[in-house]
């Protein structure tokens, strides 16, 4: 790709986001300050959906990193509205294949020899084509096949100039992220430059095929003792930074439900095995396959009727679960398994995902309501919940949902996206799949064994001490509460009412100012014929309440 084409690409990305930001400012800032907030609110969902449709069209036409950006944004449920994430969720990393001659040149330059001497055969028609690279089937030379123990391979080759395209796309995104920091409603809600850098780290790792090969080796070692999990071997002699050669382990795709059933395999067992492998990855290995869509997972029938291997491929997107994150996840899993809302909110603190403005009391109440209303339901049951029930829940906790007091780190985001995809695949395999039932035994195990290790008696004693201290202090606290009630000093805080009153006060203030502006304009117009000088002064002064209406409230946003 020429420098002129790269510059044009940069301008196109920056222009798209600049227009998007300008539209947002017009609708979400200017319109409400002109008294047209209802119009902005009424059209918001459609505008958000239209923005996502336009970005989707841009991503498909440009390829490169933009498809990855769309997939990244589709998982940002913590900062983006559902209209955007839903529209982008179906964005697939499937693009037209690059010309074989370009792929051949790239592969031969990386391997340092012609494909005819590196492989016994190499198919020119790609098995799959994605935004960053494409895959071709090949066969190893007899000597290499003897050394590795396999001959059929899949060779993944990066698209020519993809490193330059990634560099340009990231530069454009960093510039847009810098713009976002200047707008307080966005900067107070999300650290956009940090999100861009998290995305950059993930993307740069995906175009490092040596790192992907190492990830595949790690997973092979992690599941070496499990006969029902298979990971392809790496052909290291034919692997470089931009060329990755793996054992061909193609079998029945996980999403081909009819073929799985036809092979005599219980789809419910496949779903259970899939969940078990991920629980091991997350809570024991600390590293998980972060892109478990049906194209990256195979079910391999074995000679014994009904027996199968679960086969993983494509290790470009891998999430890390450091010990502190693992501890928070253990707490969250135990809280979900035991349906303990207070413990769940405490796990959010351990995970460091709560914003300083988070109302933890409201969050705990919402979590308890979720457990009460939806706990224990299968995924198929959740899909049949009535619209009225969901609306009732949404209205009860609308302020919490609007404020969304979370910002997730990249690894936790990858994990959340991964679990969402897993849940969908397991429900497809088994419509009666119950995620609660699948998690509860593991949560019980963690509760009794603390991740496989004996319970810490220090923790038990510390917990008992806290309970004893609370019980000891309880009579005094009750006495102080009654004394305050007798003196009339008790104050009850109602956050939702306070918020509504604050909004009402601001609305009344701005309405009063708008009336002043309108009155001064009318007075100036009436006096213009008889007292033109006075009329001009009044009309000039009317600019002040107009500015107050348009600019007022910026500091409170």
């Amino acid at each position: 790709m020429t420098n002129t084409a790269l510059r044009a690409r940069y301008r196109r990305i920056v222009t798209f986001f600049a227009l998007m930001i300008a539209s947002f400012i017009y609708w979400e800032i200017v319109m409400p300050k002109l008294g047209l907030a209802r119009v902005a609110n009424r059209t918001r969902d459609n505008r958000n959906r239209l923005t996502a449709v336009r970005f989707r069209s841009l991503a498909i036409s440009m390829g490169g990193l933009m498809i990855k950006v769309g997939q990244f944004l589709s998982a940002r449920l913590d900062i983006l509205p559902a209209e955007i994430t839903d529209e982008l969720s179906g964005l697939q990393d499937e693009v037209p294949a690059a010309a074989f001659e370009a792929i051949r040149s790239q592969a031969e330059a990386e391997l340092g020899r012609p494909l005819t001497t590196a492989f016994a055969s190499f198919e020119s028609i790609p098995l799959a084509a994605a935004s960053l690279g494409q895959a071709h089937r090949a066969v190893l030379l007899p000597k290499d096949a003897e050394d590795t123990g396999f001959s059929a391979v899949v060779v993944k080759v990066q698209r020519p100039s993809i490193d330059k395209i990634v560099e340009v796309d990231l530069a454009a995104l960093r510039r847009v992220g810098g713009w976002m920091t200047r707008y307080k409603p966005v900067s107070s809600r999300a650290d956009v430059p940090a999100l861009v850098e998290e995305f950059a780290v993930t993307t740069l790792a995906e175009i490092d095929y040596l790192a992907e090969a190492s990830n595949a080796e790690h997973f092979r070692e992690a599941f070496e003792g499990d006969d029902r999990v298979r990971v392809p071997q790496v052909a290291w002699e034919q692997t470089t930074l931009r060329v990755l050669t793996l054992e061909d382990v193609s079998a029945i795709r996980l999403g081909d439900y009819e073929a799985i059933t036809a092979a005599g395999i219980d789809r419910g067992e496949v779903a259970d095995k899939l969940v078990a492998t991920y629980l091991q990855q997350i809570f024991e290995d600390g590293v998980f396959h972060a892109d478990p869509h049906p194209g990256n997972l195979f079910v391999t029938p074995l000679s014994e009727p009904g027996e199968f291997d679960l086969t993983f491929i494509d290790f470009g997107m891998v999430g890390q679960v450091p010990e502190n994150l693992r501890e928070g996840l253990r707490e969250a899993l135990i809280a979900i398994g035991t349906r303990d809302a207070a413990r769940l909110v405490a796990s959010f603190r351990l995970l460091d995902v709560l914003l300083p403005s988070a109302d933890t009391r409201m969050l705990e109440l919402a979590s308890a309501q979720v457990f009460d209303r939806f706990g224990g339901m299968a995924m198929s049951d959740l899909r049949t919940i009535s619209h009225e029930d969901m609306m009732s829940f949404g209205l009860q906790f609308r302020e919490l949902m609007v404020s969304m007091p979370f910002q997730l780190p990249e690894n936790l985001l990858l994990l959340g996206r991964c679990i969402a995809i897993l849940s969908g695949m397991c429900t497809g395999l088994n419509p009666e799949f119950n995620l609660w039932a699948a998690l509860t035994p593991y949560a019980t195990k963690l509760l009794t064994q603390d991740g496989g290790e004996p319970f810490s008696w220090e923790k038990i004693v510390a917990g008992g001490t806290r309970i004893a201290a609370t019980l000891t202090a309880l009579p005094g606290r009750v006495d102080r509460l009654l004394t305050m009630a007798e003196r009339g000093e008790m104050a009850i805080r109602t956050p939702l009412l306070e918020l509504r009153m604050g909004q009402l006060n601001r609305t009344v203030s701005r309405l009063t100012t708008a009336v002043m502006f309108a009155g001064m304009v009318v007075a100036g117009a009436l006096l213009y014929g008889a007292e033109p000088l006075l009329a001009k002064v009044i009309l000039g002064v009317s600019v002040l309440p107009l500015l107050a209406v348009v600019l007022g409230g910026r500091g409170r946003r």
Side-chain angles (χ1 to χ4, degrees), residues 318-501:
V318 170
Q320 305 287 331
V321 189
E323 185 55 41
N324 62 322
L325 181 59
R326 210 178 314 175
E327 182 62 30
L329 291 172
R330 285 194 190 113
E331 284 295 304
L333 183 57
I334 292 170
I336 292 170
T338 57
R339 301 179 195 176
D340 185 336
R343 190 164 191 165
L344 184 61
V345 174
S347 75
F348 293 156
R349 293 194 188 96
L350 279 175
L351 293 169
D352 197 26
V353 299
L354 292 180
L355 295 173
S357 60
D359 186 339
T360 54
R361 290 174 298 174
M362 184 66 73
L363 189 58
E364 184 177 328
L365 180 60
S367 300
Q369 289 286 329
V370 168
F371 289 145
D372 290 343
R373 293 194 188 189
F374 313 123
M377 299 179 74
M379 297 298 112
S380 56
D381 295 330
L382 289 174
R383 288 200 297 268
T384 62
I385 294 173
S386 68
H387 178 70
E388 290 74 17
D389 283 347
M390 293 305 296
M391 284 298 295
S392 173
F393 181 81
L395 289 172
Q396 185 177 357
F397 298 104
R398 58 191 177 276
E399 300 300 339
L400 179 66
M401 292 179 173
V402 169
S403 66
M404 284 294 289
F406 303 100
Q407 178 164 312
L408 307 182
E410 173 68 6
N411 282 329
L412 201 54
L413 170 67
L414 286 175
L415 182 58
R417 173 181 178 272
C418 176
I419 291 173
I421 295 173
L422 278 176
S423 178
M425 287 195 298
C426 290
T427 305
L429 287 164
N430 175 16
E432 300 304 315
F433 174 76
N434 190 319
L435 184 60
W436 303 91
L439 293 179
T440 298
Y442 207 85
T444 304
K445 174 185 173 184
L446 292 176
L447 187 61
T448 57
Q449 296 182 353
D450 193 23
E453 297 177 0
F455 245 143
S456 168
W457 285 106
E458 290 81 358
K459 289 184 180 179
I460 294 175
V461 172
T465 302
R466 286 194 298 272
I467 293 172
T470 301
L471 292 174
T472 303
L474 189 58
R477 295 175 69 179
V478 171
D479 180 64
R480 285 194 298 273
L481 185 63
L482 293 174
T483 301
M484 290 172 65
E486 291 173 353
R487 295 175 179 174
E489 298 173 352
M490 185 180 295
I492 299 175
R493 294 187 67 248
T494 54
L496 294 182
L497 180 59
E498 292 171 5
L499 181 61
R500 292 289 183 223
M501 289 300 297

Side-chain angles (χ1 to χ4, degrees), residues 529-543:
E531 298 287 344
L533 180 60
L534 178 59
K536 289 178 180 178
V537 171
I538 293 174
L539 289 171
V541 173
S542 72
V543 173

Side-chain angles (χ1 to χ4, degrees), residues 58-109:
L58 175 80
I60 292 172
S61 65
M62 296 189 71
L65 210 57
M66 289 299 101
I67 289 179
K68 294 290 183 184
V69 171
Q71 292 175 326
F72 177 81
L73 294 177
S74 71
R76 296 277 6 175
L77 303 177
D78 56 329
I79 58 174
L80 290 176
E83 310 85 60
I84 292 178
T85 57
D86 289 348
E87 182 63 38
L88 296 179
S89 62
L91 190 60
Q92 297 296 317
D93 193 2
E94 297 174 0
V95 297
F100 180 66
E101 286 306 314
I103 292 296
R104 178 200 290 274
S105 299
Q106 174 88 328
E108 291 181 345

